[in-house]
Amino acid sequence: MIGCEELAVNGGPKAKTTPNIPMYPGGLEMGEEEKTQLLEVIDRKYLFRYYGPAEFPSKVSEFEKRFAARMGAKHCLAVTNCTSALINALVAVGVGPGDEVIVNGYTFFASCAAIVAAKAVPVICEIDDSMTMDPEDFKKKITEHTKAIIAVHMRGTPCDMDRITAIAEEHNLKLIEDCAQACGGSYKGRPLGTFGDVGCFSFQYHKIITAGEGGACITNDPVIYDRLMGYHDAAACWRPDRFGEERYRGELFCGVNYRMSELTGAVMLAQLGKLDSLLDSMRANRKRIKEGIRGVSGITFRRLNDEAGDTAVCLMFMLNDRDKIGPFTEALQAEGIDAAGVFNKGIPDWHIYSHWKHVLDRATPTPEGCPYTCPHYKGDAPERYSPDMCPNTLELLSRTVHLDIPAQMTAEDCDMIASGIRKVAAALL
Ligand SMILES: Cc1ncc(COP(=O)(O)O)c(C=O)c1O
């Protein structure tokens, strides 16, 4: 009987006896397709997207076309990573000095750092039990200085896009979606990244599809696309006449260099072909585990705004009592299950705002303190920065258990995970 099984942490047999698979969904699928694409780039000596010793079709352009088509967007711009995609998006939609941008308090720190890099002031917003932006708190955090919002589809799951887009529209805010962890996800059948002005993606090695590093912006707006192009390439290589006059006001301004290399574009072309099968596998694995533990008392699954559109990169559930998280996850690990708690005050984690010391302290690379002290900024949001400013976020995360769902897991792996969770829950909850 499950309730009587000796826990592995107390010397009993492990529930999961197979090795744990690391969470590199696309990374673990690197193979012949990537090699073929890469070798073509090397053989052609065509490593820069705009030109080379002889003309060849650009891998980066081809990737952009296919990514835009897969995501249902009119335009895609490939860049160096998602941090640069977010900065690019903020600049392209017109965020700058004097502006506030609202962002989730639970996201990788880069979503917030991008706002400071774009010379605006971050305003940190609560999450709800979906682990994504709480629309009610988003509404409360809007001020006359709010210019934009970054809605992060955190841990692979869509935000409540019905409510978020409605609030953004009502207040005339620019909407940027951070899809770094949710590539290929959707909300009510519509691909993530296409609800707002710009969708931003990461192809860093932990992400669903990857080239080690890489990123992309998608948009349906031709002017925003021009401005994305403009900021991402200081050399203005994209322009029909690189040294010509501005075609319209706001087209030409000083940019940076976030251009994607052909080597990255080649790997991403091969990886994009694997996206849907990776999503299918992760969704099937998570479904199997969830079904195996449905009804277990003492655990509540993270609420999903749209289960069908979730990328299923992880399984998250809450316990009733935060004090049980330590013993519960320790027992799961002893069972051979790679589970962890999400928030522990003492253990820094760049995904939780209370550990964003450099934001809370308003640390800046130069002593003038811009953007917080920028004379264009008339708001007072930074005065309320504190480790406790989003108590619901901390409370929720302190009770949450997280398990990665590698695409490469077998049905047997999933069944052993479910049986281990049942066993530990029966003993400890
Ligand atoms: C939610 C989120 N946003 C942005 C980023 C930044 O992505 P990149 O490492 O490609 O700059 C990450 C990366 O972990 C992320 O998880």
PDB file of all heavy atoms in Angstrom, residues 92-105:
ATOM      1  N   ALA A  92      12.059  50.100 -29.814  1.00  0.00           N
ATOM      2  CA  ALA A  92      11.260  50.177 -31.049  1.00  0.00           C
ATOM      3  C   ALA A  92       9.850  50.703 -30.789  1.00  0.00           C
ATOM      4  O   ALA A  92       9.288  51.409 -31.621  1.00  0.00           O
ATOM      5  CB  ALA A  92      11.184  48.797 -31.714  1.00  0.00           C
ATOM      6  N   VAL A  93       9.266  50.365 -29.627  1.00  0.00           N
ATOM      7  CA  VAL A  93       7.904  50.859 -29.359  1.00  0.00           C
ATOM      8  C   VAL A  93       7.924  52.263 -28.755  1.00  0.00           C
ATOM      9  O   VAL A  93       6.867  52.826 -28.462  1.00  0.00           O
ATOM     10  CB  VAL A  93       7.066  49.901 -28.469  1.00  0.00           C
ATOM     11  CG1 VAL A  93       6.950  48.529 -29.098  1.00  0.00           C
ATOM     12  CG2 VAL A  93       7.610  49.818 -27.048  1.00  0.00           C
ATOM     13  N   GLY A  94       9.121  52.793 -28.537  1.00  0.00           N
ATOM     14  CA  GLY A  94       9.212  54.191 -28.106  1.00  0.00           C
ATOM     15  C   GLY A  94       9.398  54.391 -26.617  1.00  0.00           C
ATOM     16  O   GLY A  94       9.240  55.500 -26.113  1.00  0.00           O
ATOM     17  N   VAL A  95       9.758  53.338 -25.890  1.00  0.00           N
ATOM     18  CA  VAL A  95      10.036  53.491 -24.456  1.00  0.00           C
ATOM     19  C   VAL A  95      11.380  54.191 -24.289  1.00  0.00           C
ATOM     20  O   VAL A  95      12.329  53.916 -25.018  1.00  0.00           O
ATOM     21  CB  VAL A  95      10.054  52.100 -23.767  1.00  0.00           C
ATOM     22  CG1 VAL A  95      10.668  52.176 -22.379  1.00  0.00           C
ATOM     23  CG2 VAL A  95       8.645  51.528 -23.699  1.00  0.00           C
ATOM     24  N   GLY A  96      11.461  55.083 -23.316  1.00  0.00           N
ATOM     25  CA  GLY A  96      12.720  55.800 -23.069  1.00  0.00           C
ATOM     26  C   GLY A  96      12.653  56.588 -21.784  1.00  0.00           C
ATOM     27  O   GLY A  96      11.824  56.288 -20.908  1.00  0.00           O
ATOM     28  N   PRO A  97      13.501  57.607 -21.643  1.00  0.00           N
ATOM     29  CA  PRO A  97      13.582  58.376 -20.396  1.00  0.00           C
ATOM     30  C   PRO A  97      12.217  58.915 -19.965  1.00  0.00           C
ATOM     31  O   PRO A  97      11.465  59.443 -20.784  1.00  0.00           O
ATOM     32  CB  PRO A  97      14.534  59.526 -20.752  1.00  0.00           C
ATOM     33  CG  PRO A  97      15.364  58.988 -21.872  1.00  0.00           C
ATOM     34  CD  PRO A  97      14.469  58.073 -22.650  1.00  0.00           C
ATOM     35  N   GLY A  98      11.930  58.762 -18.680  1.00  0.00           N
ATOM     36  CA  GLY A  98      10.669  59.278 -18.140  1.00  0.00           C
ATOM     37  C   GLY A  98       9.574  58.230 -18.066  1.00  0.00           C
ATOM     38  O   GLY A  98       8.546  58.447 -17.413  1.00  0.00           O
ATOM     39  N   ASP A  99       9.775  57.097 -18.721  1.00  0.00           N
ATOM     40  CA  ASP A  99       8.714  56.075 -18.783  1.00  0.00           C
ATOM     41  C   ASP A  99       8.855  55.031 -17.679  1.00  0.00           C
ATOM     42  O   ASP A  99       9.970  54.688 -17.272  1.00  0.00           O
ATOM     43  CB  ASP A  99       8.759  55.335 -20.131  1.00  0.00           C
ATOM     44  CG  ASP A  99       8.427  56.250 -21.292  1.00  0.00           C
ATOM     45  OD1 ASP A  99       7.668  57.217 -21.090  1.00  0.00           O
ATOM     46  OD2 ASP A  99       8.942  55.998 -22.404  1.00  0.00           O
ATOM     47  N   GLU A 100       7.692  54.517 -17.281  1.00  0.00           N
ATOM     48  CA  GLU A 100       7.661  53.321 -16.428  1.00  0.00           C
ATOM     49  C   GLU A 100       7.213  52.140 -17.271  1.00  0.00           C
ATOM     50  O   GLU A 100       6.379  52.298 -18.175  1.00  0.00           O
ATOM     51  CB  GLU A 100       6.644  53.493 -15.282  1.00  0.00           C
ATOM     52  CG  GLU A 100       7.090  54.499 -14.231  1.00  0.00           C
ATOM     53  CD  GLU A 100       6.034  54.747 -13.145  1.00  0.00           C
ATOM     54  OE1 GLU A 100       4.889  54.245 -13.274  1.00  0.00           O
ATOM     55  OE2 GLU A 100       6.354  55.461 -12.189  1.00  0.00           O
ATOM     56  N   VAL A 101       7.783  50.966 -16.973  1.00  0.00           N
ATOM     57  CA  VAL A 101       7.377  49.730 -17.658  1.00  0.00           C
ATOM     58  C   VAL A 101       7.064  48.694 -16.575  1.00  0.00           C
ATOM     59  O   VAL A 101       7.881  48.473 -15.672  1.00  0.00           O
ATOM     60  CB  VAL A 101       8.477  49.206 -18.603  1.00  0.00           C
ATOM     61  CG1 VAL A 101       8.049  47.900 -19.257  1.00  0.00           C
ATOM     62  CG2 VAL A 101       8.828  50.249 -19.660  1.00  0.00           C
ATOM     63  N   ILE A 102       5.896  48.087 -16.666  1.00  0.00           N
ATOM     64  CA  ILE A 102       5.469  47.098 -15.662  1.00  0.00           C
ATOM     65  C   ILE A 102       5.928  45.702 -16.083  1.00  0.00           C
ATOM     66  O   ILE A 102       5.795  45.329 -17.256  1.00  0.00           O
ATOM     67  CB  ILE A 102       3.933  47.150 -15.492  1.00  0.00           C
ATOM     68  CG1 ILE A 102       3.525  48.558 -15.027  1.00  0.00           C
ATOM     69  CG2 ILE A 102       3.450  46.083 -14.516  1.00  0.00           C
ATOM     70  CD1 ILE A 102       2.027  48.783 -14.944  1.00  0.00           C
ATOM     71  N   VAL A 103       6.479  44.973 -15.123  1.00  0.00           N
ATOM     72  CA  VAL A 103       6.994  43.623 -15.413  1.00  0.00           C
ATOM     73  C   VAL A 103       6.715  42.703 -14.228  1.00  0.00           C
ATOM     74  O   VAL A 103       6.636  43.170 -13.089  1.00  0.00           O
ATOM     75  CB  VAL A 103       8.517  43.694 -15.749  1.00  0.00           C
ATOM     76  CG1 VAL A 103       9.349  44.129 -14.544  1.00  0.00           C
ATOM     77  CG2 VAL A 103       9.038  42.371 -16.294  1.00  0.00           C
ATOM     78  N   ASN A 104       6.568  41.419 -14.521  1.00  0.00           N
ATOM     79  CA  ASN A 104       6.325  40.417 -13.461  1.00  0.00           C
ATOM     80  C   ASN A 104       7.445  40.426 -12.412  1.00  0.00           C
ATOM     81  O   ASN A 104       8.612  40.517 -12.782  1.00  0.00           O
ATOM     82  CB  ASN A 104       6.399  38.977 -14.001  1.00  0.00           C
ATOM     83  CG  ASN A 104       5.492  38.690 -15.154  1.00  0.00           C
ATOM     84  OD1 ASN A 104       5.078  39.574 -15.878  1.00  0.00           O
ATOM     85  ND2 ASN A 104       5.176  37.425 -15.321  1.00  0.00           N
ATOM     86  N   GLY A 105       7.078  40.160 -11.156  1.00  0.00           N
ATOM     87  CA  GLY A 105       8.076  39.990 -10.105  1.00  0.00           C
ATOM     88  C   GLY A 105       8.680  38.600 -10.103  1.00  0.00           C
ATOM     89  O   GLY A 105       9.606  38.316  -9.347  1.00  0.00           O
TER      90      GLY A 105
END
